[in-house]
């Protein structure tokens, strides 16, 4: 399975963590390496900023428990609506 590239490493998880490679191949498109699923709350701040929430409102939502926060998450330092 390894020799045939059926089991492949998950991007960002190290070579020992593997998943089943997608059997789909689109002609003319580069195949994307499998990635780990995001942690709960990992992108909450970015999404809320893009939706127009202020940093103060996001902090208020986090403090109340209404907006999940990943253990390592902080408010992003990029401008809302701009690519990271």
């Amino acid at each position: 399975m390894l020799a045939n590239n059926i089991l492949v490493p998950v991007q960002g998880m190290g070579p020992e963590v593997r998943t089943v490679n997608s059997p789909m191949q689109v002609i003319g498109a580069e195949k994307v390496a499998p990635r780990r699923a995001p942690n709960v709350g990992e992108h909450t701040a970015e999404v809320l900023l893009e939706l127009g929430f202020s940093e103060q409102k996001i902090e208020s939502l986090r403090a109340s428990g209404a907006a999940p926060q990943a253990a390592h998450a902080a408010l992003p330092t990029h401008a809302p609506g701009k690519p990271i």
Side-chain angles (χ1 to χ4, degrees), residues 2 5 7-19 33-35:
L2 294 175
N5 213 22
L7 288 177
V8 294
V10 177
Q11 185 179 18
M13 299 291 291
E16 67 281 349
V17 178
R18 297 184 178 275
T19 189
R35 300 182 299 270

Side-chain angles (χ1 to χ4, degrees), residues 6 16 19 22 31 38 44 46 55 57-58 64 68-69 71 74 81:
I6 294 171
E16 67 281 349
T19 189
S22 172
K31 198 170 197 177
T44 301
E46 289 95 342
E55 290 183 8
K57 183 62 177 176
I58 294 170
S64 72
Q69 178 177 355

Side-chain angles (χ1 to χ4, degrees), residues 7-68:
L7 288 177
V8 294
V10 177
Q11 185 179 18
M13 299 291 291
E16 67 281 349
V17 178
R18 297 184 178 275
T19 189
V20 177
N21 199 3
S22 172
M24 303 298 292
Q25 180 66 42
V26 178
I27 296 172
E30 186 175 334
K31 198 170 197 177
V32 178
R35 300 182 299 270
R36 67 169 179 78
N39 294 321
V40 172
E42 185 173 347
H43 300 114
T44 301
E46 289 95 342
V47 171
L48 292 175
L49 283 169
E50 286 184 23
L51 291 172
F53 285 77
S54 69
E55 290 183 8
Q56 294 79 21
K57 183 62 177 176
I58 294 170
E59 287 299 335
S60 172
L61 290 169
R62 285 179 170 173
S64 72

